[in-house]
Amino acid sequence: MLKPARREREDITLIAVSKTHAADTIQPMLDIGHRVFGENRVQEAQGKWPELLERYPDTELHGIGQLQSNKAEDAVALFDCIHALDRQSLLKALAKAMDKLDKQVPCFVQVNIGDEAQKGGCPIGEVPAFLAKVRDADVPVAGLMCLPPAGVEPAPFFALLAKLAQDNGVEGLSMGMSGDYATAVQLGATHIRVGTALFGARG
Ligand SMILES: *Cc1c(COP(=O)(O)O)cnc(C)c1O
């Protein structure tokens, strides 16, 4: 088999991003055996997932969106992995929730890879110190995550995230969406977050 990215299929987790889609749109993907999904809003996920999870208990649910600290406990209760850990206040809230619920949820540290004022994410220069704080708080580090700036070639940003991960001894790389997942995989993504390419446009 030709492997243009020189990667093994099993080394990349496809997160089917089902945000805004109703349970009956998600159902067919569960029926064919897909078991990893992503949602960006806690409240929306709480509404549609409990029933689906009851029927497909081996499903992994990833929280991929910006998270408010006051939603940390709900997020820890519902998600198996969180992709948007980007600041001290959220770290404290997540650590407290994991302690309270006695549930360790691996977290990706989101990096503001394009240094964009309007975007969340830890500033690049603060990644080593923040990772140290995450480890100190006993919150499991899944890796680094980014959302590159819109409208420009994403490859340099993916490459930078991969370099940051390597420099900081971090394994996972959550990067790549419908428009750029192939580039992300070539540059080392371990988790790609794909919505539109699987479910069609969001309403
Ligand atoms: C919506 C979303 C995605 C999926 O985007 P598509 O372009 O629909 O594949 C990926 N990551 C995050 C953080 C998102 O909010």
Side-chain angles (χ1 to χ4, degrees):
M1 247 263 282
L2 183 64
K3 291 210 183 82
R6 299 176 186 281
R7 302 284 310 280
E8 297 299 330
R9 169 66 187 92
E10 56 272 23
D11 293 338
I12 297 144
T13 300
L14 169 62
I15 302 169
V17 177
S18 49
K19 68 186 186 196
T20 77
H21 295 293
D24 58 356
T25 304
I26 301 169
Q27 176 81 45
M29 206 157 305
L30 286 158
D31 288 340
I32 61 166
H34 194 73
R35 288 293 181 272
V36 188
F37 292 84
E39 290 284 343
N40 71 333
R41 288 174 194 275
V42 173
Q43 212 170 350
E44 181 190 334
Q46 279 174 327
K48 66 189 179 193
W49 274 100
E51 206 177 306
L52 291 167
L53 290 172
E54 211 164 289
R55 273 183 282 156
Y56 302 90
D58 56 338
T59 299
E60 234 182 75
L61 206 52
H62 291 237
I64 61 169
Q66 287 265 35
L67 189 57
Q68 289 169 280
S69 297
N70 64 6
K71 297 269 170 61
E73 195 174 320
D74 288 340
V76 167
L78 186 63
F79 295 134
D80 300 292
C81 184
I82 290 170
H83 291 242
L85 173 53
D86 63 353
R87 59 193 191 277
Q88 178 70 25
S89 54
L90 181 58
L91 172 61
K92 269 179 96 171
L94 286 171
K96 192 174 155 200
M98 288 182 205
D99 209 35
K100 182 172 168 190
L101 300 179
D102 196 18
K103 181 183 176 196
Q104 293 295 102
V105 178
C107 292
F108 283 89
V109 167
Q110 184 176 351
V111 180
N112 189 350
I113 204 75
D115 195 21
E116 295 174 280
Q118 79 281 14
K119 258 190 200 157
C122 177
I124 291 169
E126 292 171 23
V127 167
F130 189 58
L131 276 171
K133 284 183 184 152
V134 176
R135 291 176 174 128
D136 269 355
D138 281 327
V139 167
V141 177
L144 301 181
M145 177 271 205
C146 77
L147 279 162
V152 294
E153 170 58 42
F157 299 99
F158 293 153
L160 179 57
L161 194 74
K163 171 83 165 64
L164 276 173
Q166 192 176 34
D167 289 351
N168 288 282
V170 166
E171 297 267 316
L173 283 172
S174 169
M175 57 188 199
M177 322 201 309
S178 291
D180 54 19
Y181 64 85
T183 304
V185 166
Q186 282 178 334
L187 291 166
T190 60
H191 293 69
I192 54 177
R193 311 176 309 266
V194 180
T196 310
L198 291 170
F199 293 104
R202 287 179 287 274

